[in-house]
């Protein structure tokens, strides 16, 4: 283990939850101005349902592929979801809700991929005896990331407008990826020794969600 891996993991995770904060404010603001509270509710509902349904698939992918690969994929999917918000104000009125819903689905799926892969990376670089303390500190930084992200999204919307803000935060999401290579440079493309087929993975994920009903509420 190298000394800089833990601070970088904290920074990357905090930046990831910064995008979560952005994802709370920006799509809701665009949806409200494009279709009112009804569209806001539809977008939030589709994102939550997608997170619930796609979490088992994300868990299966995390189990089958290297953590670094899945983390990169998750972050790029989230960036794509943000990019899709940019043209919502200029496309046909009937297409704008579709883009918002697809953006929410991509954000939920990307976050599900990141949650599993970052957990695997944490286990690889932090000794078991120190994981609880580290996880608690990491959780505090993650909550700070969400808070800063919501504030930054509001400020960006006020100064730049929704489309430009979407592009800006998508680029921010992609700009975090070089940190990941440094985090995993020593531990490698960490992969779980246990490989489940899709059906057992779905069962395992469903059992987890039933035991932890709040796990699907974060985006």
């Amino acid at each position: 283990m190298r000394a800089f891996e833990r601070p970088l993991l904290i920074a990357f995770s905090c930046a990831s939850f910064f995008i979560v904060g952005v994802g709370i404010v920006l799509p809701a603001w665009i949806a409200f101005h494009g279709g009112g509270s009804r569209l806001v509710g539809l977008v939030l509902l589709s994102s939550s349902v997608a997170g619930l349904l796609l979490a088992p698939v994300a868990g299966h992918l995390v189990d089958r592929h290297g953590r670094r690969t899945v983390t990169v994929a998750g972050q790029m999917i989230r960036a794509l979801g943000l990019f899709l918000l940019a043209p919502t104000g200029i496309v046909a009125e009937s297409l704008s809700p579709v883009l918002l819903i697809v953006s929410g689905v991509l954000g939920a799926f990307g976050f599900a991929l990141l949650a599993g892969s970052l957990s695997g990376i944490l286990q690889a670089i932090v000794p078991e005896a120190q994981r609880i303390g580290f996880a608690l500190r990491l959780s505090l930084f993650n909550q700070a990331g969400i808070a800063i992200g919501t504030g930054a999204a509001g400020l960006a919307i006020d100064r730049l407008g929704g489309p430009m803000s979407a592009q800006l935060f998508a680029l921010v999401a992609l700009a975090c990826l070089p940190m990941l290579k440094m985090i995993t440079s020593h531990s490698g493309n960490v992969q779980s020794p246990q490989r489940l087929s899709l059906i057992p993975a779905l069962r395992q994920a469903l059992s987890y969600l039933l035991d932890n009903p709040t796990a699907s509420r974060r985006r």
Side-chain angles (χ1 to χ4, degrees):
M1 181 191 69
R2 298 179 181 178
F4 59 80
E5 287 179 333
R6 293 190 197 183
L8 282 177
L9 178 59
I10 290 175
F12 184 87
S13 184
C14 183
S16 176
F17 276 80
F18 171 88
I19 299 300
V20 171
V22 170
I24 293 172
V25 175
L26 184 57
W29 185 88
I30 294 175
F32 182 77
H33 284 268
S37 57
R38 181 177 180 180
L39 183 56
V40 173
L42 180 61
V43 170
L44 294 177
L45 176 63
S46 61
S47 177
S48 297
V49 171
L52 181 64
L53 296 179
L54 293 175
V57 178
H60 175 69
L61 292 174
V62 170
D63 180 63
R64 299 289 293 182
H65 300 282
R67 301 298 193 253
R68 182 196 303 166
T69 301
V70 175
T71 304
V72 170
Q75 193 76 339
M76 292 183 70
I77 289 171
R78 296 172 83 198
L80 176 60
L82 288 171
F83 271 124
L84 288 180
L85 294 174
T88 52
I90 59 176
V91 298
E93 186 176 347
S94 60
L95 186 58
S96 181
V98 176
L99 289 178
L100 281 163
I101 290 172
V102 173
S103 172
V105 171
L106 290 176
F109 184 51
F111 180 79
L113 290 173
L114 277 172
S117 57
L118 287 177
S119 176
I121 291 173
L122 184 152
Q123 293 178 34
I125 67 176
V126 180
E128 184 176 359
Q130 302 174 19
R131 283 177 196 162
I132 294 179
F134 182 82
L136 289 174
R137 293 193 297 272
L138 185 63
S139 178
L140 293 176
F141 280 98
N142 289 341
Q143 295 303 315
I146 292 176
I148 295 171
T150 56
L155 181 61
I157 290 169
D158 180 62
R159 299 293 177 86
L160 304 174
M164 285 295 295
S165 298
Q167 296 179 55
L168 171 64
F169 291 122
L171 293 175
V172 169
L174 294 177
C176 298
L177 289 177
M179 281 192 291
L180 182 64
K181 184 176 181 180
M182 292 184 283
I183 294 169
T184 58
S185 61
H186 178 63
S187 56
N189 196 15
V190 187
Q191 191 167 358
S192 171
Q194 182 184 16
R195 288 173 169 264
L196 299 176
S197 61
L198 181 58
I199 298 303
L202 290 172
R203 291 173 181 167
Q204 191 176 87
L206 181 59
S207 298
Y208 175 80
L209 289 173
L210 290 174
D211 292 337
N212 302 271
T214 60
S216 63
R217 296 178 187 171
R218 281 186 175 177
R219 295 292 172 268

